[in-house]
Amino acid sequence: MSVPSAAGPAELVRLAGVTRRFGDGPPALDAVSGTIEAGAITGIVGPDGAGKTTLIRLMAGLLLPDVGTVEVLGHDARTGQAGIHAGIGYMPQRFGLYEDLSVQENLDLHASLRGVPTADRAEVFARLLALTDLGRFTDRMAGKLSGGMKQKLGLACALMGRPRLLLLDEPSVGVDPISRRELWRMVGDLARQGIGIVWSTAYLDEAEACDRVLVLDGGRLLFAGDPEGLTARVADRVFRLSGFEGRRRAVLGRALAHPGIVDGVVQGDAIRLVVRDRSVLPAVIADAGPGTAALPARPRFEDAFVDMLGGGPGAGSALAEASRFLPRDDARPVIDARGLTRRFGDFTAVDDVTFEIPRGQIFGLLGPNGAGKSTTFRMLCGLLKPSGGDARIAGYDLRRQSAAARSRIGYMAQKFSLYDDLTVAQNLDFFAGVYGLTGDHRRRRIELVSGIFDLGPRARHPARDLPLGVKQRLALACAVMHEPEVLFLDEPTSGVDPITRREFWAHINALVEKGVTVLVTTHFMDEAEYCDRIALIYRGRAIALGSPEDLRRSAAGPDLPDPTMEDAFIALVEASGRREAA
């Protein structure tokens, strides 16, 4: 992706011993040094609270360092902010445009803010609309755009005025795999034109695609360089465990209990393991049972990242250990959707979707932004009345017995859905009351989830002030407070770093082993591997239904002999689109 000159790549940003504090706590950034080069994509990578957003805001001239120097485009951040602002494009972490303005009105506004001459605007708009493929949507309100389209509009506005440096703070959070690939194509083209790109991300497959990465943790710089340089640290220590009988989650739990295992995740029908050394493998294989084999796997940047941070959360879940066991001897499906349909006026958002989920399984709803996943989800939660079809939850008809059905459900919404103005403790107490918990049992459950999700130190903090990872822990704590039979998780780890994501899934996997049934939506394709079965939703219809392995096999062909889950997602959606167009 890089475009070096004869004299080598130009340095657009130079950081020297940069420290920044907020209040009396530990520094958000601690003596960070590094450079950003023209014509390259530099990833800013790290877990929640690592300092990624603080670093980008320093480069944007929105914050000043307490110690050290920040030079951007030859300007000192303390004295040359006007020059910095004139030469950069900045796309904040949250959608920063005006949702009650149209696409064109947002472009007009940013053209005025960046001083684009009126005579030049038609050419500039045409170029940006062609780049982002938003030309058909100029009259649409920004608030009505899908997640991917919002990010494209944000990118178009950030590019107004042809910046030399483009700062993107987690631009792909909540964006489906197709839109993510389109964003990467656009950004790659910009880098080839010589623009310096800074891409902050919690998605480590994106970090792997960068030219260089700066890895942060707790405000400290742990690594700077080529992603392959970090990945090489776990060469010969990554294995794929397969051939075992029984439930994958139970095998993973036993493997993680071995002290020589650094990290482990479900990967389709197999288990992916990172080991400290190969000597632990015979014991892991013996635990997994007859027929088990451990074959070397290609190391990923994520494997090395988790290893560098000290490994994943390990085995066990205190939440599951404290939860009741739900017997699996009832053959009836826990979730049963038949011909589920939802229309909004003349628009059919969900069209004749049918599936069933037995007890103790994880079922995934995948699909592009705007495909109908969340609408299906809300109907099954009893939050939205179907226009047609029927649904049962734990044996209760959602049309006639919705209150009884909802009492069996734990729900974690796509966007943080708790009360921003309430403290952590007040949110927990409120939701305990909503779920009908009383007396000592209520107190014990609040204490339990507070301890498990490490919420006690923040009990008096307003929810709005929490970091994203802590917000998500609070949301999950509220959803499982009452020991639900069914757990609905709508993009539960969107934007969450890999360590926190593993903590979430350790609890979810262990709850499923206790008989809890989980319905999950996700844009993170590695999470789709955790599912027992998946329904791929596109334009309101289920276009594929089966296990992760089934979906990969159905997408395989001469041009794609061994597809990843993301490859399969994109191939199946594109094939469905071609059939509809034929």
Side-chain angles (χ1 to χ4, degrees):
M1 295 180 190
S2 301
V3 186
S5 67
E11 288 184 357
L12 301 182
V13 178
R14 178 179 290 275
L15 308 165
V18 174
T19 296
R20 172 71 197 207
R21 293 180 179 272
F22 298 95
D24 298 328
L29 290 173
D30 188 1
V32 172
S33 299
T35 60
I36 305 296
E37 297 174 351
I41 301 176
T42 301
I44 308 294
V45 186
D48 191 42
K52 302 187 295 295
T53 295
T54 300
L55 183 57
I56 283 185
R57 289 176 178 171
L58 284 163
M59 293 187 215
L62 300 175
L63 294 174
L64 295 178
D66 297 323
V67 178
T69 59
V70 178
E71 293 182 7
V72 181
L73 306 177
H75 303 281
D76 187 285
R78 289 188 172 88
T79 58
Q81 290 178 327
I84 292 173
H85 295 162
I88 68 168
Y90 172 51
M91 186 172 164
Q93 188 174 25
R94 297 176 181 173
F95 185 64
L97 306 181
Y98 289 90
E99 297 202 350
D100 55 351
L101 297 182
S102 69
V103 168
Q104 185 61 58
E105 288 167 338
N106 270 288
L107 291 173
D108 289 335
L109 174 62
H110 279 260
S112 297
L113 293 173
R114 297 306 296 263
V116 177
T118 302
D120 297 341
R121 291 189 184 187
E123 183 276 328
V124 171
F125 293 160
R127 172 175 55 84
L128 294 174
L129 291 170
L131 173 71
T132 57
D133 195 27
L134 290 174
R136 297 165 291 161
F137 307 103
T138 52
D139 294 332
R140 184 174 295 185
M141 293 295 160
K144 299 294 184 182
L145 298 175
S146 69
M149 292 168 69
K150 283 183 177 181
Q151 298 302 76
K152 290 178 185 178
L153 177 58
L155 180 61
C157 291
L159 288 169
M160 199 73 67
R162 293 185 179 272
R164 294 169 56 198
L165 175 66
L166 185 59
L167 305 174
L168 306 175
D169 195 359
E170 302 204 20
S172 58
V173 168
V175 173
D176 66 73
I178 294 174
S179 297
R180 273 214 297 160
R181 284 198 179 182
E182 290 174 352
L183 281 172
W184 270 95
R185 175 188 56 77
M186 290 185 280
V187 169
D189 289 343
L190 295 170
R192 283 185 283 274
Q193 296 170 26
I195 297 175
I197 311 290
V198 176
W199 183 297
S200 164
T201 185
Y203 295 114
L204 297 189
D205 59 331
E206 292 182 346
E208 200 162 22
C210 294
D211 298 293
R212 298 180 68 250
V213 292
L214 303 178
V215 179
L216 299 171
D217 183 42
R220 295 176 296 109
L221 182 66
L222 301 186
F223 177 85
D226 185 328
E228 292 182 1
L230 183 63
T231 304
R233 298 185 180 189
V234 292
D236 304 322
R237 291 201 283 129
V238 184
F239 294 87
R240 193 169 187 270
L241 206 66
S242 62
F244 50 81
E245 296 182 1
R247 295 170 65 86
R248 301 165 298 161
R249 286 176 281 273
V251 173
L252 174 61
R254 294 198 298 272
L256 289 173
H258 288 270
I261 300 298
V262 174
D263 186 35
V265 295
V266 171
Q267 193 172 55
D269 291 340
I271 304 295
R272 183 183 183 87
L273 298 174
V274 181
V275 303
R276 287 194 173 84
D277 60 69
R278 300 171 65 102
S279 64
V280 72
L281 288 175
V284 171
I285 292 170
D287 263 359
T292 302
L295 298 177
R298 183 184 70 83
R300 304 179 304 192
F301 183 88
E302 181 163 329
D303 301 323
F305 177 87
V306 174
D307 179 67
M308 183 172 59
L309 294 184
S317 163
L319 179 65
E321 291 170 6
S323 299
R324 58 191 170 128
F325 179 78
L326 299 168
R328 302 176 190 272
D329 53 6
D330 188 343
R332 294 177 301 172
V334 176
I335 300 176
D336 190 4
R338 300 289 169 185
L340 214 54
T341 300
R342 174 67 196 200
R343 289 181 288 273
F344 297 94
D346 295 332
F347 174 66
T348 302
V350 176
D351 187 7
D352 194 26
V353 169
T354 296
F355 57 81
E356 60 181 42
I357 311 173
R359 185 175 300 284
Q361 281 198 5
I362 300 176
F363 189 92
L365 285 180
L366 305 187
N369 293 112
K373 304 183 305 298
S374 291
T375 301
T376 302
F377 209 81
R378 288 196 291 270
M379 285 191 286
L380 289 170
C381 289
L383 301 176
L384 192 62
K385 186 177 180 181
S387 304
D390 295 293
R392 288 180 171 272
I393 303 294
Y396 293 100
D397 188 313
L398 277 176
R399 289 186 183 274
R400 295 188 295 273
Q401 301 166 297
S402 59
R406 281 197 295 268
S407 70
R408 307 298 182 94
I409 291 170
Y411 175 56
M412 184 174 169
Q414 182 177 7
K415 295 180 180 178
F416 184 65
S417 59
L418 306 183
Y419 291 91
D420 277 347
D421 292 334
L422 298 184
T423 66
V424 168
Q426 289 168 337
N427 267 290
L428 290 170
D429 189 60
F430 174 79
F431 278 89
V434 166
Y435 288 126
L437 304 184
T438 60
D440 286 344
H441 181 56
R442 176 173 178 159
R443 178 183 53 77
R444 287 194 302 270
R445 291 297 296 181
I446 290 174
E447 289 177 356
L448 176 73
V449 297
S450 293
I452 289 170
F453 293 103
D454 194 27
L455 298 172
R458 301 177 187 266
R460 297 185 179 182
H461 293 201
R464 65 172 173 272
D465 296 337
L466 300 175
L468 176 60
V470 181
K471 282 186 175 181
Q472 297 297 78
R473 292 207 301 269
L474 174 59
L476 183 58
C478 291
V480 299
M481 180 91 65
H482 59 303
E483 297 184 88
E485 289 184 44
V486 184
L487 197 52
F488 286 86
L489 306 173
D490 198 359
E491 297 189 30
T493 60
S494 181
V496 172
D497 67 83
I499 301 299
T500 303
R501 190 180 302 127
R502 279 160 171 74
E503 292 172 356
F504 267 55
W505 281 99
H507 292 305
I508 293 165
N509 285 333
L511 286 172
V512 170
E513 288 303 296
K514 296 290 287 281
V516 175
T517 303
V518 174
L519 181 68
V520 62
T521 72
T522 182
H523 288 315
F524 195 79
M525 291 299 100
D526 278 3
E527 288 186 350
E529 299 278 11
Y530 301 162
C531 298
D532 296 284
R533 289 191 305 143
I534 291 167
L536 181 54
I537 308 293
Y538 182 53
R539 294 178 179 172
R541 288 182 169 272
I543 63 171
L545 180 64
S547 70
E549 291 288 348
D550 292 336
L551 268 60
R552 280 196 296 271
R553 280 194 295 267
S554 66
D559 298 330
L560 200 62
D562 187 23
T564 64
M565 197 63 221
E566 181 169 307
D567 293 333
F569 177 104
I570 293 171
L572 291 169
V573 168
E574 290 179 344
S576 177
R578 288 193 297 269
R579 287 195 298 270
E580 287 191 15

